[in-house]
Amino acid sequence: NVYVAWLHLENSFGNQETLEKVLKDALARNDEYKVYQQMADIYSRSGKLEEADGIYKILVKKFCKDKESWIRYGLFNYRNSRHEEGRFVFKRSLQNLESRDAADISAKFAQIEFRYGDPERGKTMYEKLVTSHPKRIDLWSSYADQLTRIGDVAAARALYQRIATLGLQAKKMKTLFGKWLEFEKAH
């Protein structure tokens, strides 16, 4: 916390040389992953996008097997209207992460696409996911939530009808039927 505060101060009131000195010291004495994350956040919040991009590139290079670093970098790009760069980060993440993490990272980037990018592209990503992983309730539920959030009631209703025909276990279907009931009450 002391180093985070110090990095904030150096970013706001110091120069680049003193900031780099404090950053090196923080990296030597703390967890590199956390320090790089904090530094990227500091740069992002202060509007220094090129510096933040550089830190994110270091982060995904050093910690390429950590899906959270890829998600944060993709989210950074989407929030700053750099959609093509965000999509490139998604492709790179799939190349670097384990195949078992592919569905989770794809779902997260589909959510990001819904919120900051193109909802149609997000729908396409979710369709691929639920087609390839039909038994994953979390993907179906997340997809329905995103459709509801953007106000596409007809598509959400059609999705719930598709879910009803999956033939999953009663325990899993109970949660989805509960969500469907809440959806229908609201819409």
Side-chain angles (χ1 to χ4, degrees):
N1 288 338
V2 172
Y3 276 106
V4 170
W6 197 358
L7 288 168
H8 272 289
L9 287 171
E10 288 297 336
N11 183 52
S12 299
F13 303 110
N15 58 32
Q16 191 63 28
E17 184 179 302
T18 58
L19 179 63
E20 287 176 14
K21 183 180 177 212
V22 173
L23 180 61
K24 277 185 184 178
D25 194 32
L27 289 169
R29 297 173 192 262
N30 297 293
D31 180 20
E32 282 187 358
Y33 179 75
K34 290 180 181 176
V35 172
Y36 279 127
Q37 277 186 336
Q38 290 294 330
M39 196 65 231
D41 288 344
I42 289 169
Y43 278 143
S44 295
R45 280 189 237 123
S46 63
K48 297 179 179 178
L49 301 181
E50 292 304 315
E51 290 86 349
D53 190 56
I55 295 292
Y56 277 118
K57 284 179 180 173
I58 292 170
L59 192 64
V60 296
K61 186 175 181 184
K62 281 190 166 211
F63 305 98
C64 63
K65 297 299 179 194
D66 179 57
K67 57 183 174 179
E68 185 63 30
S69 58
W70 290 104
I71 291 168
R72 291 171 72 95
Y73 189 25
L75 189 58
F76 163 76
N77 282 312
Y78 275 96
R79 280 184 178 160
N80 292 298
S81 300
R82 298 163 42 157
H83 300 142
E84 289 305 315
E85 289 90 342
R87 292 175 186 129
F88 180 72
V89 168
F90 170 61
K91 288 177 187 170
R92 294 277 301 147
S93 71
L94 291 177
Q95 293 169 354
N96 284 290
L97 293 171
E98 303 282 327
S99 59
R100 61 184 157 86
D101 292 331
D104 294 334
I105 195 89
S106 297
K108 192 63 180 171
F109 271 89
Q111 290 174 1
I112 293 170
E113 193 73 56
F114 259 101
R115 179 160 285 155
Y116 300 104
D118 179 18
E120 286 301 317
R121 186 181 288 262
K123 285 180 187 179
T124 304
M125 292 171 76
Y126 266 119
E127 283 297 328
K128 287 179 185 176
L129 278 171
V130 296
T131 303
S132 59
H133 304 284
K135 304 273 188 226
R136 295 240 347 230
I137 301 300
D138 59 328
L139 297 176
W140 287 99
S141 179
S142 177
Y143 186 17
D145 289 344
Q146 294 303 317
L147 289 172
T148 305
R149 190 183 61 72
I150 64 167
D152 196 348
V153 176
R157 187 169 285 127
L159 182 69
Y160 280 119
Q161 289 171 348
R162 274 177 59 197
I163 292 170
T165 63
L166 288 177
L168 298 173
Q169 298 171 355
K171 185 179 179 182
K172 290 182 178 182
M173 291 302 285
K174 183 179 178 182
T175 357
L176 290 172
F177 280 138
K179 283 187 72 119
W180 191 4
L181 180 63
E182 292 299 317
F183 169 78
E184 290 297 343
K185 284 180 181 176
H187 297 91

